[in-house]
Amino acid sequence: MRWVYKPDSLGLFNDNRSRCETYTGCDCYCPPKFIKLMIWGPPIPADWP
Amino acid sequence: MKKSRFNILVDKTPDYALIFNSFSRGFVELEKDVYQKFDALKLDSNDQIAKELKKGFFLMDEDVDEDKVLQARNRVSRYKGYRLGLLILPTLNCNFSCEYCFEDKQRGFMSPDVEQSIVGFIKSRVGEIRELKMSWFGGEPLLATKIIDRLAREIIDLCEANNVAYHSDLTTNGYLLNQKNIDWLKEIRVEQIQVTLDGDRETHDQRRKLKNGKPTFDTIISNLKLAAGHFGISIRVNIDRKNKGKVNNLLPVLVENNLQDKVYVYYGIVVGITNACRDYEPVCLDVDQLSDVMFDLHKDAIDNKYDFVLFPYPLSSVGGCGAMRPDFFVIDPKGFVHKCLNSAGNEKEAVGHISRPIGFTPELVTWLTWDPLEDEVCSQCKLLPLCSGGCLWNKLHGLHSCGYHRDPKFMNKLLKLYHEYTREKEIQPVL
């Protein structure tokens, strides 16, 4: 087997994706809050929160 | 052992099978013989592969009730309440006249009384929270810099005095994002900025004009060059039937302007659902079309190595849209409190007013208690862990509430593309 994408940890205190953000698919208007979690892309700016 | 009901068979070839689990977001390639054993539940539970698959929620013990686990995860996240998020609309006025805008243009600005009520509300909560997120929205928020300045400085002081982490973002059309405003936004600790560009100059300027009809593209690009490096910048590209074939012409323009390492691009969709934009509905893409258009756009970005276009590998909206939480509110210029931006400016849909304590109005109770596992359609959906019910505003208005990202056809193609890409590049996922 090969992990194409490793699964999230599923513990009670491992919920670090609990935000409203566009890329989860609600198609609303707010900016994606968690884009630093995207898989690839340019380096994250140093001051990115 | 049993298999998860959230397993999705993405592809099956003579050599291997690809399976995605929407609860864990894990994505696995299994050789043919391993897949056959997995599918027939013939893997030994002590086998290393079975252990890995259990970690990824593909397999689990018989006594695990997945729906209950999902419900618990959502509730813990939704009601944990250590943070507060406020989306502030200091004005609904705008210097643009975009043909598809979803907001009712109203000329007024937020009054000092409403400003003070917002500060008072935060004062009442600041002892209970650890994190405050202020999102400045509009209309065009950069038409209301004085209001934002007063509010931000007072709120930052409050957070510092109470050891609350302060975060802030701004959604702007970008036309007034000049050097003076950039310096000021840094002072008031705005960290992320979203600007909209709907294609290259020709396409964008047909859609996003100033009120007097003049073009805006060149000014926005110049401003982005000034702002780049000072903020996390996302560029939203709105797509409908009119510009669907042309939006990716924007990407080489961003490279020409040396913005490729300093911004992220993501594709948004235009929908005709509010009173202000319902007439635009025929121009919007339906789910089937969106699936194809969005896939082609992301594939094009990958093929051309435009890696500043965000790849929408499925994320989990644990707990659901912010509007369903007790710690997120939208406040419009008149001080009406809403759960969703779609109702801003429409007093009838408000859940309260910022000058008064927010009570358990029937509207608010609906937002806070709606549970997708009690919904006939959502509860059966294999993608439920990803969207946690989708857009509740749409659902409450009798509209399609699933995002296009959750369209199975789109997701299937997208995951196959991701598999191809990671295989070719030998990319190790970072999460």
Side-chain angles (χ1 to χ4, degrees):
Chain A
M1 69 171 278
R2 178 177 83 94
W3 283 120
V4 184
Y5 187 89
K6 286 186 181 168
D8 297 335
S9 300
L10 294 174
L12 177 61
F13 300 109
N14 290 331
D15 156 31
N16 60 353
R17 293 179 188 82
S18 53
R19 295 288 193 280
C20 159
E21 25 82 11
T22 305
Y23 261 70
T24 62
C26 69
D27 297 336
C28 69
Y29 315 96
C30 39
K33 306 288 196 299
F34 260 52
I35 55 181
K36 67 178 175 182
L37 290 181
M38 289 295 165
I39 314 311
W40 64 76
I44 306 297
D47 57 351
W48 196 273
Chain B
M1 280 196 302
K2 65 179 180 183
K3 285 184 283 184
S4 166
R5 81 169 177 99
F6 298 121
N7 290 342
I8 294 159
L9 181 62
V10 173
D11 200 11
K12 207 163 118 181
T13 75
D15 302 321
Y16 61 82
L18 296 174
I19 314 168
F20 173 76
N21 181 279
S22 67
F23 193 104
S24 71
R25 305 188 308 130
F27 187 23
V28 71
E29 177 188 302
L30 296 178
E31 296 82 356
K32 185 184 170 189
D33 58 322
V34 178
Y35 172 70
Q36 282 169 346
K37 281 188 195 168
F38 161 80
D39 195 44
L41 282 171
K42 294 272 169 64
L43 284 172
D44 185 327
S45 59
N46 292 317
D47 184 284
Q48 192 54 36
I49 290 178
K51 284 181 184 170
E52 283 289 301
L53 291 173
K54 272 175 93 170
K55 264 195 231 166
F57 221 64
F58 292 86
L59 290 172
M60 67 201 71
D61 293 331
E62 284 289 346
D63 59 353
V64 175
D65 182 333
E66 286 181 281
D67 284 351
K68 288 287 180 196
V69 176
L70 179 62
Q71 195 167 43
R73 183 173 81 157
N74 277 344
R75 286 183 182 177
V76 167
S77 170
R78 188 169 171 184
Y79 301 122
K80 64 184 165 194
Y82 66 78
R83 69 190 291 272
L84 176 64
L86 296 180
L87 196 146
I88 306 286
L89 283 55
T91 182
L92 282 169
N93 197 1
C94 190
N95 49 344
F96 277 28
S97 60
C98 308
E99 54 188 353
Y100 54 75
C101 185
F102 69 100
E103 290 181 327
D104 280 321
K105 299 287 185 304
Q106 295 171 11
R107 284 181 177 274
F109 287 81
M110 188 170 270
S111 69
D113 284 349
V114 170
E115 282 179 44
Q116 279 315 300
S117 295
I118 292 171
V119 174
F121 175 65
I122 293 171
K123 269 185 190 162
S124 74
R125 296 288 307 128
V126 81
E128 310 288 326
I129 57 173
R130 297 202 310 269
E131 187 186 330
L132 176 68
K133 176 78 177 241
M134 297 297 293
S135 297
W136 308 107
F137 207 93
E140 171 48 48
L142 293 180
L143 292 175
T145 51
K146 285 183 183 164
I147 296 169
I148 294 174
D149 188 66
R150 284 192 295 268
L151 277 170
R153 290 180 195 277
E154 204 163 345
I155 293 165
I156 289 168
D157 286 349
L158 266 177
C159 286
E160 284 181 353
N162 289 275
N163 205 21
V164 168
Y166 178 85
H167 296 291
S168 173
D169 62 49
L170 172 87
T171 301
T172 170
N173 57 38
Y175 194 79
L176 298 172
L177 193 59
N178 50 35
Q179 191 62 55
K180 186 179 162 207
N181 279 333
I182 289 167
D183 293 341
W184 164 68
L185 289 167
K186 283 164 68 181
E187 268 181 45
I188 62 162
R189 292 175 49 185
V190 167
E191 298 156 326
Q192 298 177 48
I193 293 182
Q194 174 175 288
V195 171
T196 301
L197 287 169
D198 277 0
D200 61 8
R201 182 190 292 116
E202 188 192 348
T203 309
H204 174 94
D205 282 341
Q206 280 168 4
R207 298 160 61 85
R208 296 182 64 84
K209 300 171 189 167
L210 287 173
K211 270 183 178 168
N212 62 14
K214 290 197 171 160
T216 61
F217 185 85
D218 287 343
T219 301
I220 296 170
I221 290 284
S222 300
N223 289 346
L224 282 173
K225 287 160 82 171
L226 294 174
H230 297 294
F231 312 95
I233 298 176
S234 49
I235 295 180
R236 179 181 171 107
V237 183
N238 286 317
I239 297 170
D240 57 38
R241 288 174 202 264
K242 282 190 183 173
N243 69 340
K244 68 180 166 78
K246 305 180 235 171
V247 286
N248 45 2
N249 294 342
L250 169 66
L251 306 178
V253 179
L254 294 176
V255 175
E256 279 162 28
N257 284 280
N258 199 26
L259 286 165
Q260 72 276 17
D261 295 331
K262 295 159 189 150
V263 300
Y264 292 85
V265 169
Y266 80 99
Y267 296 117
I269 59 171
V270 180
V271 287
I273 53 173
T274 66
N275 288 334
C277 62
R278 198 156 289 134
D279 290 347
Y280 201 77
E281 205 276 333
V283 187
C284 303
L285 293 158
D286 62 34
V287 174
D288 261 1
Q289 293 165 317
L290 271 170
S291 169
D292 292 335
V293 169
M294 289 296 184
F295 177 79
D296 291 346
L297 285 171
H298 287 103
K299 180 146 186 356
D300 175 73
I302 286 176
D303 290 346
N304 288 290
K305 303 194 189 317
Y306 293 127
D307 58 5
F308 51 95
V309 177
L310 295 177
F311 186 85
Y313 188 86
L315 285 174
S316 293
S317 177
V318 180
C321 170
M324 284 153 53
R325 298 158 183 266
D327 58 7
F328 174 81
F329 298 100
V330 177
I331 302 174
D332 75 16
K334 291 180 181 169
F336 286 99
V337 178
H338 301 265
K339 288 307 291 171
C340 175
L341 192 52
N342 280 344
S343 66
N346 180 358
E347 294 168 24
K348 285 179 191 161
E349 289 198 55
V351 297
H353 193 275
I354 196 64
S355 64
R356 300 183 288 274
I358 298 170
F360 286 106
T361 59
E363 295 82 6
L364 183 62
V365 169
T366 300
W367 280 99
L368 298 185
T369 59
W370 185 79
D371 185 340
L373 280 163
E374 291 168 6
D375 181 273
E376 203 180 331
V377 177
C378 293
S379 61
Q380 302 305 310
C381 180
K382 282 190 154 210
L383 302 176
L384 176 60
L386 294 174
C387 78
S388 301
C391 176
L392 183 52
W393 190 91
N394 274 5
K395 205 169 264 283
L396 295 175
H397 290 78
L399 300 165
H400 184 72
S401 60
C402 305
Y404 78 85
H405 299 100
R406 301 293 166 260
D407 174 48
K409 188 173 129 200
F410 174 74
M411 190 168 294
N412 203 277
K413 287 200 307 188
L414 188 90
L415 287 168
K416 273 195 234 174
L417 178 66
Y418 183 76
H419 172 253
E420 247 174 67
Y421 186 87
T422 52
R423 207 167 214 216
E424 197 180 301
K425 306 280 176 189
E426 293 182 354
I427 281 183
Q428 291 301 308
V430 291
L431 287 178

